[in-house]
Amino acid sequence: MKHILSVLVNNSSGVLSHVASLFTRRGYNIESLCVAETHQNERSIITLVVDEDDKMVSQIERQLYKLVDVIKIEDLTDHPSIERELVLATIQLERSKREEILSLVDVFQARIVDMSGMAIMIELIAEPRKIRSFIKIIAEYGIIKIARSGSIALPCFSADE
Amino acid sequence: MIDMEETKKPGKTETTSKTGSKILLDTLLANEVTVCWGYPGGAILPFYDEVYHSRIEHILVRHEQGAAFAAEGYARATGKLGVAVSTSGPGATNLLTGIADAKMDSIPVLFITGQVATKDIGTDAFQEADTYGMSIPITKYNALVKNVDEVARTTKEAITVAMAGRQGPVLIDMPKDVQAASSSNVHYHYDDLRIPDIHYKKAGLSGDVKKLIDVINKSKRPLFYIGGGVISSETSALLLKLAEKAKIPVTSTLMGLGAFPGEHDLFLGMLGMHGTAYANKAVMECDLIVALGARFDDRVALNVSEFASQAIRAQVDIDNAEIGKRVDVDVHIAGDLTDVLELLFAGLEEVKESLWADHIKELKIKNPLKFNLVKDQIKPQYFIHKLSERTSGNALIVTDVGQHQMWASQYYAINKPRNWLTSGGLGSMGFGLPAAIGAKYGRPDDDVILITGDGSIQMNIQELATAKMYNIPVKILLFHNGFLGMVRQWQELFYGERFSHSTLQNFNPDFCKIADAYGIISRKISHPDEIDGGIDFLLNTKDVCLLEVMIPETEKVYPMIAAGHRYEDMIEFETTSEVGDLFSVVPHKHRVKQVSK
Ligand SMILES: Cc1ncc(C[n+]2csc(CCOP(=O)(O)OP(=O)(O)O)c2C)c(N)n1
């Protein structure tokens, strides 16, 4: 089952290597990994999407806690939370398909961020599920290049925090 | 030569400046480090220049792997922090096996490696290797120190992490310029460690102590399955009191040997792949098994789903991540064994008569360790059995890896914690000699006996020079079977007797001549009549000495449970398979004092 782990870490130069090394060494399946600084500049958030059962995920959390740069881990899977991913895709722009593509962009609430005579670059920020179906559909028009960010997520605010 | 820096009060800021190397050494001294094991080279020269003036004793080994194992042996034998030093690149890579070994067996060792100057890092400079990257998966903590002002704090952090909780190896990679640079910001105020305090502050217990007390009190056939955690937590005395109060029999992993008196009526010896038949039968018969500082590894819980599946399984470990890692447990506590055992002692009912404990005694008598005594041959099992008797199980035994290691674990009844040093988790051949040197250095008043094989000894044989140079009188017992015996055993049993590349025969050196070349006294025996004399030689020689014992290559380690198999599939020694007289012995029982003639 898919789990989203939000891991607060010290922003040290080796922290990413330590996390990555743990996953390779213990053979955990990782779907995506996203790192960026937080508003506190000595802290970063690593968002990990892993596809493992609950028992394994609890093992992963406990192993992660042994890394000295890991401060806090939240499993967002069972909490109300918002998950987002960004995709940028450049697809072929055939004149005959132009209208179709533009309405697709509309339906998915995506944006056109670059355009040339032959190609169009689309940006979509959405839940991973929507991103996946979007990619499947635009693939039919011929994807020239694509980049995905991997998921980030945040739990919804609850009053008892 | 009076060096008072390390006695300065916490919080005091130094006004005079010191080099990074001096700060590192002073921090070691302030943390009661008195010895380090190492080998110099270009990128660690500024450090060695400070070592020249330091009160810390430095022992020059002959290979960095020797430094790592010696530091481990010292740490295992004394409970103190071991320290090993090497240069960058090849020096650091030579340490790696020892670092991994310390990680597997949770041994606190600080590794200090030289590194190329910070400006050269990443340029493939001479003797540059990514020591930081390579050591990530095999350390508890590692750091590349890029700023001399960080040396004191980083060193303190490393030492703290190594010694705290589940202990383990740590590494500090020191670029050459950082070693040489001066800092006036040298402070001994360590409250500003940057690591979260869960890594060093003692945590409370999590889990259900009451439930554990309850299941033990209700159990008719409880069994303690102890591991290295009992040794590192120094809870042997407490465990003994507890087991005696509640009459709970005890079996041990390879790492836990010595944590419970080997000749105690409640002790069953080792369980698992080469465990005693009586220990393994107890595992099959118990209705509750309580792991204390042990991790259900694949040499014990060979088959995850079948291991003690008839019993309630409980686990106590200081490392939360070990709980249920391989084997699901019904009751668990994460926390310090001292706290848990004290609570158990208070909560467990005193048991006066126990049918189960009586049954355990019987199990031992009915299922002894067995082998054949053959005329004109020295059997290693018999030799070790004799050695155990002659030393009353009180020598400090260090082993290498292979059959000799297993025979030693079975036939030598270790009576005290930290008297059994072996490479358990990693199983590194070559561990023995340097580890024995480290142990003897740390425990000069104890008899330190290395039990090794003709394969293993050759992996770090160069350390004979270290033992000789510093006059560290280890006693080497070398079983010579002309084979990589353990490999040969597997090939005989599981690979149709195709002995692929497991023989050393005819090309082994003359080990006594080698000893002689290092100025070490030696003797070689091959006949059973020479056993007593051989043991006399070992025990009475005051200098470093080597006894070479010729043994048959066909001898095997029994009992055995093949990898992944169930305890029911245990293979026991069959006397019909060989000619000779059956010899059976139960090392793990109270021995009636023999009257010497
Ligand atoms: C560094 C290393 N390489 C290979 C092995 C695999 N191995 C395990 S036991 C063994 C044979 C050991 O031979 P020896 O030291 O002569 O001991 P014996 O089994 O004959 O008692 C080997 C090769 C190992 N454990 N460690």
Side-chain angles (χ1 to χ4, degrees):
Chain A
M1 191 198 145
K2 196 182 87 166
H3 284 255
I4 307 169
L5 301 178
S6 177
V7 187
L8 181 67
V9 297
N10 273 328
N11 202 358
S12 77
S13 55
V15 64
L16 191 57
S17 310
H18 275 90
V19 171
S21 160
L22 177 67
F23 275 73
T24 11
R25 179 170 118 56
R26 300 209 179 254
Y28 304 141
N29 279 316
I30 198 165
E31 260 183 20
S32 76
L33 182 154
C34 221
V35 207
E37 278 185 11
T38 64
H39 59 293
Q40 299 162 298
N41 59 8
E42 283 175 7
R43 302 265 196 269
S44 288
I45 288 276
I46 300 181
T47 310
L48 289 163
V49 180
V50 292
D51 189 14
E52 296 282 5
D53 62 23
D54 292 357
K55 190 184 153 195
M56 187 63 98
V57 171
S58 123
Q59 173 66 207
I60 292 173
E61 282 186 36
R62 285 182 272 176
Q63 293 291 355
L64 278 170
Y65 267 123
K66 294 208 279 182
L67 305 179
V68 292
D69 283 317
V70 168
I71 299 159
K72 192 165 188 273
I73 304 166
E74 273 185 288
D75 187 346
L76 303 182
T77 319
D78 301 326
H79 294 282
S81 58
I82 302 296
E83 185 188 358
R84 286 292 178 271
E85 186 175 351
L86 162 68
V87 63
L88 291 171
T90 303
I91 58 176
Q92 279 166 19
L93 191 59
E94 275 174 46
R95 198 146 272 192
S96 58
K97 301 273 168 70
R98 197 187 150 104
E99 284 308 309
E100 242 177 281
I101 292 172
L102 289 182
S103 73
L104 245 173
V105 167
D106 224 33
V107 169
F108 275 89
Q109 291 179 302
R111 292 196 321 146
I112 295 166
V113 287
D114 189 35
M115 206 160 168
S116 70
M118 324 263 299
I120 180 173
M121 193 197 296
I122 307 172
E123 169 201 283
L124 173 62
I125 298 169
E127 299 126 53
R129 193 172 44 84
K130 195 167 160 190
I131 299 254
R132 276 195 297 274
S133 48
F134 180 68
I135 291 172
K136 219 163 146 190
I137 292 169
I138 59 171
E140 292 167 16
Y141 300 94
I143 296 174
I144 300 170
K145 273 187 178 162
I146 190 162
R148 287 174 72 171
S149 67
S151 282
I152 59 165
L154 207 61
C156 298
F157 184 76
S158 91
D160 42 65
E161 268 184 56
Chain B
M1 277 298 284
I2 301 168
D3 188 349
M4 296 290 287
E5 270 92 351
E6 68 275 12
T7 61
K8 285 268 156 57
K9 296 225 168 58
K12 167 101 181 167
T13 302
E14 290 292 314
T15 42
T16 51
S17 69
K18 293 187 196 177
T19 65
S21 304
K22 175 99 170 100
I23 298 168
L24 176 48
L25 281 163
D26 284 349
T27 313
L28 296 183
L29 279 167
N31 286 278
E32 285 152 27
V33 171
T34 56
V35 60
C36 58
W37 310 79
Y39 208 89
I44 192 82
L45 281 178
F47 179 81
Y48 271 87
D49 198 43
E50 293 285 7
V51 167
Y52 193 74
H53 304 288
S54 175
R55 287 197 287 116
I56 288 191
E57 181 163 20
H58 177 277
I59 307 273
L60 178 70
V61 293
R62 295 301 186 271
H63 186 299
E64 289 86 353
Q65 190 181 99
F69 286 145
E72 260 203 277
Y74 174 82
R76 289 174 192 246
T78 62
K80 296 182 198 161
L81 180 77
V83 178
V85 186
S86 82
T87 189
S88 64
T93 53
N94 274 347
L95 286 177
L96 290 177
T97 305
I99 306 177
D101 194 84
K103 183 68 166 39
M104 283 294 239
D105 288 348
S106 308
I107 308 301
V109 179
L110 168 64
F111 294 90
I112 298 167
T113 49
Q115 182 54 278
V116 300
T118 41
K119 69 169 177 24
D120 297 326
I121 290 178
T123 65
D124 300 318
F126 178 63
Q127 295 195 326
E128 182 184 2
D130 178 14
T131 307
Y132 177 84
M134 290 187 296
S135 60
I136 286 175
I138 51 175
T139 49
K140 265 190 94 181
Y141 171 101
N142 66 347
L144 168 61
V145 187
K146 287 188 176 159
N147 179 340
V148 66
D149 288 336
E150 297 280 300
V151 174
R153 184 184 52 77
T154 308
T155 309
K156 181 64 189 177
E157 276 185 2
I159 294 174
T160 307
V161 171
M163 298 301 288
R166 178 178 182 176
Q167 300 181 322
V170 294
L171 181 140
I172 303 178
D173 199 23
M174 287 275 280
K176 193 172 182 179
D177 54 326
V178 177
Q179 295 167 39
S182 287
S183 167
S184 49
N185 177 21
V186 184
H187 57 79
Y188 291 91
H189 190 59
Y190 296 127
D191 295 340
D192 62 344
L193 297 190
R194 259 197 290 177
I195 49 178
D197 63 11
I198 56 157
H199 297 290
Y200 54 93
K201 286 235 167 75
K202 197 173 151 179
L205 302 179
S206 75
D208 202 340
V209 180
K210 256 174 109 181
K211 188 167 168 198
L212 182 58
I213 292 174
D214 195 48
V215 291
I216 297 179
N217 277 335
K218 286 201 179 115
S219 160
K220 294 213 159 51
R221 299 183 305 280
L223 179 65
F224 281 151
Y225 141 48
I226 65 168
V230 178
I231 290 169
S232 48
S233 63
E234 312 266 356
T235 45
S236 296
L238 196 52
L239 174 69
L240 178 60
K241 248 177 35 174
L242 178 68
E244 285 182 340
K245 179 181 178 185
K247 295 271 181 305
I248 300 177
V250 177
T251 180
S252 171
T253 66
L254 185 67
M255 288 303 297
L257 293 175
F260 200 81
E263 295 170 349
H264 198 284
D265 277 339
L266 286 169
F267 193 56
L268 288 152
M270 187 168 75
L271 79 168
M273 180 175 274
H274 288 302
T276 61
Y278 37 89
N280 288 342
K281 290 193 179 199
V283 171
M284 290 187 271
E285 291 179 18
C286 69
D287 64 4
L288 167 69
I289 186 161
V290 185
L292 302 173
R295 58 185 175 90
F296 295 92
D297 75 289
D298 59 300
R299 289 304 188 253
V300 167
L302 296 113
N303 183 307
V304 172
S305 56
E306 300 278 339
F307 179 72
S309 51
Q310 83 290 347
I312 295 176
R313 295 183 292 213
Q315 186 178 13
V316 182
D317 204 288
I318 197 161
D319 179 359
N320 185 27
E322 283 304 338
I323 309 284
K325 186 182 75 180
R326 275 191 89 237
V327 170
D328 291 329
V329 286
D330 308 294
V331 188
H332 52 83
I333 302 166
D336 197 311
L337 262 185
T338 315
D339 302 341
V340 178
L341 293 185
E342 268 164 9
L343 290 169
L344 289 186
F345 189 75
L348 291 194
E349 288 154 15
E350 182 162 358
V351 175
K352 287 256 150 59
E353 295 292 315
S354 160
L355 290 175
W356 170 237
D358 294 341
H359 175 68
I360 290 290
K361 275 193 206 169
E362 226 169 276
L363 263 187
K364 292 203 245 184
I365 311 280
K366 285 197 182 140
N367 303 278
L369 288 167
K370 288 178 280 190
F371 56 92
N372 271 342
L373 276 182
V374 180
K375 201 170 157 290
D376 298 340
Q377 287 184 353
I378 299 181
K379 287 298 178 88
Q381 301 96 318
Y382 184 76
F383 191 101
I384 295 168
H385 162 67
K386 277 284 169 206
L387 184 69
S388 183
E389 285 195 342
R390 289 280 304 275
T391 53
S392 307
N394 288 326
L396 196 167
I397 302 290
V398 184
T399 79
D400 254 305
V401 174
Q403 291 181 308
H404 61 274
Q405 175 190 30
M406 292 299 114
W407 287 317
S409 73
Q410 294 175 331
Y411 290 88
Y412 195 99
I414 302 281
N415 272 324
K416 287 187 229 154
R418 302 201 182 278
N419 267 14
W420 168 257
L421 315 190
T422 198
S423 168
L426 200 66
S428 326
M429 291 170 68
F431 168 87
L433 179 56
I437 293 171
K440 179 67 186 176
Y441 179 92
R443 302 253 304 268
D445 298 333
D446 289 274
D447 276 341
V448 173
I449 304 175
L450 164 66
I451 300 181
T452 184
D454 48 342
S456 293
I457 187 98
Q458 293 188 70
M459 285 223 179
N460 273 319
I461 200 161
Q462 76 287 344
E463 300 307 331
L464 288 174
T466 311
K468 186 68 190 171
M469 173 172 171
Y470 293 91
N471 191 21
I472 303 171
V474 294
K475 301 173 184 299
I476 303 167
L477 168 56
L478 165 63
F479 285 116
H480 186 155
N481 57 5
F483 267 86
L484 301 174
M486 187 56 97
V487 173
R488 189 192 181 285
Q489 170 163 349
W490 283 56
Q491 289 173 335
E492 181 179 330
L493 298 177
F494 308 123
Y495 293 90
E497 303 193 5
R498 292 179 296 279
F499 299 122
S500 179
H501 299 271
S502 54
T503 182
L504 306 170
Q505 255 163 359
N506 307 327
F507 290 94
N508 261 336
D510 181 331
F511 289 103
C512 289
K513 271 193 188 155
I514 287 195
D516 194 40
Y518 281 104
I520 287 168
I521 315 159
S522 66
R523 190 179 280 190
K524 177 173 173 171
I525 62 171
S526 52
H527 193 274
D529 292 346
E530 300 169 299
I531 291 177
D532 282 330
I535 294 179
D536 287 340
F537 166 75
L538 263 187
L539 298 182
N540 298 337
T541 307
K542 295 280 173 272
D543 293 328
V544 188
C545 62
L546 181 144
L547 177 69
E548 181 180 4
V549 181
M550 304 306 292
I551 59 166
E553 70 210 33
T554 47
E555 203 58 29
K556 280 174 283 298
V557 183
Y558 286 117
M560 175 171 195
I561 308 173
H565 280 247
R566 306 171 323 146
Y567 274 47
E568 284 79 2
D569 306 331
M570 179 168 60
I571 311 164
E572 290 201 64
F573 174 73
E574 297 285 349
T575 186
T576 47
S577 62
E578 229 181 321
V579 278
D581 303 325
L582 183 71
F583 188 92
S584 49
V585 58
V586 180
H588 310 105
K589 71 168 199 237
H590 188 70
R591 201 151 23 89
V592 186
K593 274 247 157 52
Q594 283 171 343
V595 189
S596 51
K597 289 168 210 157

